[in-house]
Amino acid sequence: MNSVDSLTGFLNRFGCFHTAMRLAAEATGNHQTFGVIWLDLDRFKQINESFGHLIGDEVIENLATRFRPCVFGRAEISRVGGDEFVLLAPGFNRDQAFQLAVELAGIVQEPLNIGSLTLRPTASIGVAIHEPNEDPLTLLERADHAMFAAKSKGGNNIVCSGDEPIPGRLGVTLAREELSIENTLHEALETGGFCLHYQPIIRADGTVEAVEALMRCKLNGENFSPMKFIPVAEKTGLIIRLGEFSLLQGAMHARALQDAGHETKVAINVSRAQLISPEFTRALHAALLCSNASPSLIELELTESLFMDISSTVQQNLKEIIATGVSLSIDDFGTGYSCLANLKDIPAQKLKLDRAFVTVLPEDHRALSVVQAVTQLGHALGMTIVAEGCENQQQIDVLLEAGVDAIQGFFYARPMPDKDLLPWLKQRSNKT
Amino acid sequence: MNLQMPTPTTVDLMVEKAVIDLGIPPCPVILKRFVTETRKEEPDYNRLSSIICADVSLSASLIKTANSPYFGTRQRVRSVNEALVILGLNIASRAVAGIILRKSFPTSPNMERFWDASSRFARLSGWLAQSFDSLGIPAEDAYTFGLFRDCGIPVLLKRLPSYSSVLNSANSEAKLDFTQVEDAVLPTNHAMVGCVLAQSWWLPEEICLAIRHHHDKSILSTTISPPPLFSRKLIAISQLAEHLVQQQLGLSLTQEWGKLGTTCLNLLDIDESQLEALTLEAAPLITANE
């Protein structure tokens, strides 16, 4: 049977498979690896349909000419379909195969002049490395599968077999590392691994303005950083559950503190995913009903990313939140997406200055000027101004001098577990 | 006494007391202890038994659950230890959660009927999941979902005086989704309240999502996540269980099967003839004296 592709002179599908069988046997015998690179041109069908098959063939011939010197002596190349090339690279490990794939992707992207046309093709590439005793067909399938994963990322991409996104428990496709984080999240959610810690916010007169509820995750004795789990929680939708957990726990704690004689406002962080959901206020009402907490003791801290886009759903949610009697504050103000033009659209009663302005005090006079200006602006809008991240008395002095109303930071207290908060509040109220 | 067991903090106890007084139960310490032990690599059955035995009525209820015909055991269970072995730790911990949930609400004849019905749907759901193992839904998940599915209802009945009449309207509504009737007059609905409660009781996300959407026809018939297919199948199993119970006992309290039945049968891949056979098979279980 003919094993050569007539257009390019490369091996065809049949030749490719036979070579793969030989290389797999050799690799197993010599205890060596070999790599497979599966390259598929993006939108090649469009080229054929728009310019005709002759132009399509010319594209393939041109690319084949470019590939030849690059792969010579390194890999066996074959054309296994209209716009699909497979390279079999003996002795290649994952890094070497990935490097060759990067070179090929670069070659494909060079502008291609055919007649008066200039085309800039791209390719999706899958890479797989032969595993000991692996059947060559399975190996080729893995490379093909990885190529599809690269294609589903929007093309012009390289994916190594094993790194393809896999559907997680909730049906959202994730990379391997993300999958293990998702599993940890589920385990923590099902074993009570999440809890809230509370950090007090202190007014200028020394009384407690509120406590901010901060989520902590501990699993099998180890702390699990929010930096790690929040992106996966956002991707999988679990962020909604974490947010609703905070709502209920925070509200229940506000109620318990009230019963213990401390009418302390609990500030609960709300994610963007929660607030853009039309179900948000139903969840808030559910938490209020279940906890029987007074809405006036609950404050919702909105992340600044909300400024990116205040949709009608968000506006409706904000309006309904205010109608329940729950108050709003804007967190981390002054960095990132903060936009003064949108400030007037958010009916918040409190503005929390980002720690970036605080940690550089008292030395940084320019930062102090920003603090003074934002404080004035906030006051003009009827807002309470809180400074986050205060660590020493000098910072507190300049902040209070600048008109800031309340302070949050390690200087007063670190975030503490719920069991420590009540004694802390008692001690504090004795002092003041 | 196991020294490693978490000791409830003052605020914990206060939260528990304050909220139980109001009829809304937070996750109880006894359940936390039980679940933490079952999650260990090698759970200690004696310790598990002693956690349950600390509460006499919980022990009795667990033994009764293990002797229910739905779990198909011929041998009569007499002790908590045997019940744990017969049920398996997964079902046992879910059963414990369900029993405590029920106990957390104040007793009244109406409530008793409500919980009896929930328990019946739950057990039949577990049995259905077992009968259709090709669905890939573990019986304990179907069972748990059945137990918790409507737990938002007693919360709302307790907290909102007007809820009783809303519930009647929603039960007799033949077109709109059940929760749409609630949403039209209330700021939240029983599916959302139940979901929030289930989340705080550490139930798996798929079960929480199923509780949240169990009346939502548009979500049930979609093929796009979320909620995952697993959650949609849980909903379908429990709706079928409710339909079979209502049909067998001559009760027709809700209009849900009329609205969701076809979608549920599609999700479960059951045709009319299979449904008939199933109805016959389930009948003795439903009417059995428990």
Side-chain angles (χ1 to χ4, degrees):
Chain A
M1 193 179 278
N2 189 6
S3 59
V4 175
D5 172 51
S6 56
L7 186 64
T8 59
F10 294 161
L11 293 169
N12 62 12
R13 183 175 282 269
F14 178 73
C16 173
F17 182 62
H18 272 266
T19 310
M21 290 231 295
R22 177 171 55 80
L23 290 177
E26 283 173 13
T28 304
N30 303 332
H31 303 289
Q32 276 188 339
T33 56
F34 93 91
V36 177
I37 298 167
W38 196 298
L39 183 151
D40 184 286
L41 294 179
D42 298 325
R43 293 172 294 278
F44 185 69
K45 198 171 157 224
Q46 254 178 334
I47 296 179
N48 271 336
E49 282 173 1
S50 310
F51 308 113
H53 286 269
L54 286 178
I55 297 287
D57 282 355
E58 264 194 71
V59 170
I60 296 295
E61 276 182 292
N62 270 286
L63 286 177
T65 311
R66 289 181 185 177
F67 286 155
R68 208 165 276 122
C70 169
V71 301
F72 182 75
R74 297 163 84 186
E76 297 274 6
I77 185 164
S78 39
R79 178 170 171 243
V80 295
D83 60 343
E84 286 180 276
F85 297 89
V86 171
L87 285 91
L88 306 169
F92 270 42
N93 62 25
R94 183 183 154 116
D95 289 347
Q96 291 164 316
F98 189 80
Q99 185 50 42
L100 180 53
V102 171
E103 287 175 40
L104 291 167
I107 289 173
V108 171
Q109 278 175 31
E110 285 168 26
L112 204 61
N113 296 312
I114 298 173
S116 59
L117 283 174
T118 302
L119 300 172
R120 289 181 178 78
T122 57
S124 298
I125 304 178
V127 175
I129 303 301
H130 181 249
E131 285 172 5
N133 300 317
E134 187 182 16
D135 158 28
L137 200 58
T138 312
L139 171 66
L140 287 166
E141 272 173 11
R142 283 201 295 120
D144 188 20
H145 190 245
M147 182 278 290
F148 266 108
K151 191 138 291 218
S152 63
K153 282 182 165 182
N156 196 15
N157 224 305
I158 304 170
V159 169
C160 290
S161 174
D163 292 345
E164 306 96 324
I166 307 165
R169 245 177 72 173
L170 301 177
V172 178
T173 49
L174 298 169
R176 197 156 288 222
E177 199 198 346
E178 293 175 324
L179 267 185
S180 98
I181 295 175
E182 188 198 6
N183 286 339
T184 311
L185 274 174
H186 282 296
E187 201 183 333
L189 283 168
E190 289 163 31
T191 53
F194 283 95
C195 67
L196 294 178
H197 281 200
Y198 297 88
Q199 187 174 35
I201 300 167
I202 309 295
R203 294 191 193 102
D205 65 3
T207 54
V208 178
E209 158 74 23
V211 291
E212 181 181 355
L214 296 155
M215 180 162 284
R216 295 285 182 267
C217 177
K218 205 171 191 178
L219 194 62
N220 304 325
E222 262 184 60
N223 289 320
F224 192 31
S225 158
M227 303 279 275
K228 245 185 157 180
F229 69 74
I230 294 290
V232 177
E234 280 174 345
K235 241 180 173 174
T236 52
L238 281 170
I239 192 81
I240 301 266
R241 171 155 184 180
L242 296 180
E244 286 169 2
F245 168 86
S246 295
L247 271 183
L248 182 61
Q249 297 300 315
M252 287 193 348
H253 207 72
R255 170 73 202 208
L257 291 174
Q258 189 186 18
D259 287 346
H262 289 270
E263 297 246 341
T264 308
K265 201 175 251 199
V266 174
I268 302 162
N269 286 283
V270 173
S271 69
R272 181 175 165 74
Q274 283 174 282
L275 210 60
I276 59 172
S277 158
E279 289 196 314
F280 178 70
T281 48
R282 282 199 274 278
L284 174 64
H285 277 283
L288 288 172
L289 271 172
C290 286
S291 62
N292 204 27
S294 159
S296 63
L297 292 178
I298 307 296
E299 181 176 286
L300 301 182
E301 290 202 2
L302 312 177
T303 65
E304 56 158 5
S305 63
L306 203 71
F307 282 92
M308 283 193 314
D309 162 35
I310 303 179
S311 66
S312 56
T313 310
V314 171
Q315 278 179 356
Q316 184 61 28
N317 279 341
L318 293 176
K319 214 186 281 174
E320 286 178 22
I321 292 166
I322 295 295
T324 62
V326 165
S327 57
L328 293 173
S329 75
I330 298 169
D331 204 5
D332 305 326
F333 187 78
T335 55
Y337 301 102
S338 308
C339 167
L340 291 179
N342 282 339
L343 197 56
K344 63 175 173 35
D345 295 329
I346 299 184
Q349 291 94 327
K350 195 179 278 179
L351 201 61
K352 294 182 80 177
L353 273 170
D354 192 84
R355 61 181 60 241
F357 299 108
V358 176
T359 49
V360 292
L361 294 178
E363 292 82 10
D364 191 330
H365 295 288
R366 292 172 71 85
L368 184 59
S369 302
V370 176
V371 171
Q372 285 166 335
V374 173
T375 304
Q376 267 188 4
L377 174 69
H379 283 163
L381 291 168
M383 294 166 131
T384 301
I385 309 297
V386 176
E388 297 176 287
C390 263
E391 289 179 359
N392 57 54
Q393 186 66 52
Q394 293 100 304
Q395 289 173 344
I396 293 173
D397 292 342
V398 290
L399 286 165
L400 294 180
E401 179 75 15
V404 166
D405 304 292
I407 306 282
Q408 180 177 1
F410 286 0
F411 181 77
Y412 284 120
R414 287 173 180 268
M416 59 188 96
D418 55 4
K419 68 178 171 53
D420 296 342
L421 182 63
L422 193 55
W424 190 92
L425 288 171
K426 276 188 181 150
Q427 205 183 12
R428 185 88 202 165
S429 61
N430 289 340
K431 268 192 206 168
T432 52
Chain B
M1 173 90 185
N2 171 23
L3 294 176
Q4 285 180 333
M5 279 181 185
T7 30
T9 64
T10 327
V11 176
D12 258 351
L13 290 176
M14 222 161 0
V15 167
E16 211 158 298
K17 186 182 172 305
V19 185
I20 284 178
D21 285 349
L22 295 160
I24 290 101
C27 187
V29 175
I30 196 164
L31 182 63
K32 282 186 191 170
R33 288 180 178 172
F34 189 81
V35 174
T36 308
E37 185 63 38
T38 60
R39 293 280 179 159
K40 287 186 180 162
E41 226 163 89
E42 282 182 32
D44 180 338
Y45 274 72
N46 287 331
R47 189 173 295 159
L48 286 168
S49 284
S50 67
I51 295 169
I52 299 298
C53 290
D55 183 324
V56 179
S57 67
L58 177 59
S59 315
S61 303
L62 189 68
I63 292 169
K64 190 178 159 202
T65 306
N67 283 323
S68 149
Y70 293 91
F71 296 106
T73 50
R74 293 209 185 102
Q75 161 197 2
R76 198 91 193 134
V77 169
R78 287 190 176 79
S79 70
V80 169
N81 233 330
E82 280 173 29
L84 293 177
V85 174
I86 290 290
L87 292 172
L89 287 190
N90 282 340
I91 288 201
S93 60
R94 304 296 170 75
V96 168
I99 295 161
I100 301 176
L101 179 74
R102 178 178 183 154
K103 273 159 46 102
S104 306
F105 286 91
T107 345
S108 73
N110 275 340
M111 277 294 133
E112 285 298 309
R113 272 199 298 279
F114 170 84
W115 290 116
D116 281 344
S118 284
S119 309
R120 201 178 284 119
F121 299 148
R123 289 190 298 261
L124 188 60
S125 296
W127 177 81
L128 283 171
Q130 252 168 359
S131 312
F132 290 93
D133 59 351
S134 60
L135 284 174
I137 303 291
E140 63 263 28
D141 287 334
Y143 173 74
T144 311
F145 174 59
L147 281 179
F148 278 80
R149 192 189 71 175
D150 289 321
C151 69
I153 289 177
V155 174
L156 288 172
L157 280 173
K158 180 77 192 158
R159 296 301 317 280
L160 304 175
S162 63
Y163 187 66
S164 184
S165 67
V166 179
L167 187 61
N168 287 338
S169 316
N171 273 331
S172 53
E173 172 61 45
K175 273 192 183 151
L176 291 174
D177 285 354
F178 193 100
T179 43
Q180 283 176 330
V181 177
E182 294 173 290
D183 291 340
V185 285
L186 301 172
T188 190
N189 58 57
H190 82 282
M192 178 60 88
V193 172
C195 173
V196 167
L197 186 62
Q199 287 173 347
S200 76
W201 280 49
W202 307 350
L203 294 196
E205 179 65 359
E206 294 87 340
I207 294 182
C208 295
L209 288 172
I211 295 173
R212 193 183 198 112
H213 297 294
H214 74 272
H215 289 291
D216 195 332
K217 190 176 178 184
S218 61
I219 273 188
L220 208 55
S221 46
T222 181
T223 50
I224 310 160
S225 318
L229 185 58
F230 191 97
S231 307
R232 281 180 265 141
K233 284 181 180 174
L234 281 176
I235 298 171
I237 288 176
S238 89
Q239 293 294 356
L240 175 59
E242 186 175 50
H243 168 65
L244 291 175
V245 169
Q246 289 187 352
Q247 205 182 27
Q248 189 63 37
L249 300 182
L251 301 165
S252 177
L253 291 172
T254 66
Q255 302 292 324
E256 295 313 286
W257 192 249
K259 291 183 270 185
L260 306 173
T262 313
T263 317
C264 290
L265 290 179
N266 284 340
L267 264 168
L268 300 174
D269 202 15
I270 295 176
D271 59 29
E272 285 297 328
S273 64
Q274 284 172 299
L275 181 62
E276 263 175 50
L278 201 61
T279 309
L280 288 176
E281 209 179 331
L285 288 172
I286 297 167
T287 48
N289 191 12
E290 291 155 30

